[in-house]
Each structure stands twice: as structure tokens, then as C-alpha cells.
């Protein structure tokens, strides 16, 4: 019988302990990787945006997506779609930078659609209109062009 080894956290939940690169791709065990974002962190909205922007600027949209995911899971129901839309945009950029053009474009558009529901509102100072436009424009380029560089394409959240 071939028993499969599964990484587990201290509570016994399955967790992949393989190191990851800046785009969240698994690397071989023993390879130096990028430190993972801790899960389940409750941050202020200001701290969420600051940390996500830092990660986006560093070319780590996968990690920024995890920060947004924490915000959507810990925040008020009324803001859930905002944070989910931001997470979708970040993971769309992740897929685009990994060369997954179809998935990247689809997630960028899905995130832009979720954000567009906020119209011209500027929740927490987020420039929703510009961010949604950026995501749609990038989706079009991703579908018809080469893999993008995540750091070069990093959006500005506030503005």
C-alpha cells in the first residue's frame, strides 16, 4: 500500500508546506521560497490596503489576494463583495503573470464587475472606477499578448 504524506498544521488540518515563489507557485521542498502570508489575520481596513499595496508593488499579487481574502472573511457583510472583488483582481493578475491568459482575463473581469457595483463611491479611499477600468484593460491585453510582469502592472488601490 502506497501511503501519501500530507502536510498538516498544528491543528491537524491539511496544509501544503512546500515553499512558494512570489506568484504563489509551489517550489520543490528545500528550495528557498517567499514567506507566506499568515491566514486569518484581522487587520484594520487601512492596514489591509497598505499591506496589499506593498505586496502588489513587490510583484506578489497572490499574497495580496490572501490579505484581501482575510478582509472579506473578517469584515462586515456589507463590504464582503468589495474585498472579494479586490481579491479576484489580485488573483487575476497572479494568473496573468503566470501565463494563464484565459484564467487571468476571466478573474480580472470578474473582479472589475464586482467592484463596478460600487459605482463612483470611494470606500476606504479606494479608486474603484480607475481600478475596475485598469482590470478590464489588462484583461484585454492579457488575452492578446505576452505574459505580464506583476510588479510592473501593479495597480494603485488608493487614488
Amino acid at each position: 500500500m502506497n501511503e501519501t504524506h500530507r502536510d498538516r498544521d498544528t491543528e491537524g488540518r491539511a496544509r501544503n508546506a512546500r515553499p512558494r515563489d512570489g506568484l504563489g507557485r509551489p517550489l520543490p521542498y528545500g528550495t528557498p521560497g517567499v514567506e507566506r502570508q499568515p491566514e486569518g489575520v484581522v487587520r484594520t481596513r487601512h492596514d489591509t490596503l497598505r499591506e496589499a499595496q506593498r505586496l502588489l508593488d513587490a510583484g506578489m499579487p497572490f499574497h495580496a489576494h490572501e490579505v484581501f481574502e482575510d478582509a472579506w472573511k473578517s469584515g462586515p457583510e456589507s463590504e464582503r463583495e468589495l474585498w472579494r472583488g479586490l481579491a479576484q483582481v489580485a488573483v487575476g493578475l497572479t494568473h496573468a503573470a503566470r501565463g494563464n491568459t484565459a484564467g487571468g482575463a476571466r478573474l480580472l473581469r470578474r473582479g472589475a464587475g464586482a467592484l463596478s457595483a460600487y459605482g463612483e463611491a470611494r470606500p476606504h479611499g479606494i479608486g474603484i472606477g480607475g481600478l475596475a477600468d485598469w482590470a478590464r484593460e489588462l484583461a484585454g491585453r492579457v488575452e492578446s499578448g505576452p505574459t505580464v510582469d506583476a510588479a510592473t502592472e501593479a495597480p494603485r488601490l488608493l487614488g
Side-chain angles (χ1 to χ4, degrees):
M1 182 166 158
N2 182 7
E3 190 173 321
T4 301
H5 172 73
R6 293 192 69 182
D7 298 322
R8 303 257 175 210
D9 65 14
T10 56
E11 284 81 40
R13 291 185 301 253
R15 296 279 187 235
N16 189 332
R18 285 175 62 183
R20 300 208 175 239
D21 71 6
L23 293 174
R25 293 176 291 218
L27 299 169
Y29 285 103
T31 303
V34 172
E35 188 172 333
R36 291 178 157 195
Q37 283 300 116
E39 292 182 37
V41 176
V42 178
R43 299 173 180 87
T44 66
R45 298 311 178 227
H46 172 77
D47 288 346
T48 294
L49 291 167
R50 187 181 70 225
E51 179 65 1
Q53 188 68 66
R54 181 187 73 75
L55 293 164
L56 288 167
D57 292 345
M60 297 169 46
F62 177 80
H63 302 276
H65 133 269
E66 291 179 334
V67 170
F68 290 135
E69 192 172 280
D70 284 341
W72 114 44
K73 291 179 178 178
S74 67
E77 181 69 33
S78 62
E79 294 185 357
R80 199 153 281 169
E81 286 304 307
L82 169 68
W83 302 110
R84 187 181 323 222
L86 290 167
Q88 289 170 333
V89 165
V91 82
L93 177 56
T94 300
H95 282 286
R98 289 176 176 176
N100 177 358
T101 57
R106 184 174 42 253
L107 283 161
L108 285 162
R109 286 192 179 102
R110 187 179 303 155
L115 295 175
S116 292
Y118 289 85
E120 293 304 311
R122 296 181 55 79
H124 309 290
I126 302 167
I128 295 291
L131 192 56
D133 290 345
W134 167 85
R136 286 188 197 95
E137 187 273 332
L138 182 58
R141 281 193 290 126
V142 164
E143 286 177 324
S144 62
T147 301
V148 300
D149 178 76
T152 302
E153 296 293 343
R156 300 305 310 159
L157 301 172
L158 303 175

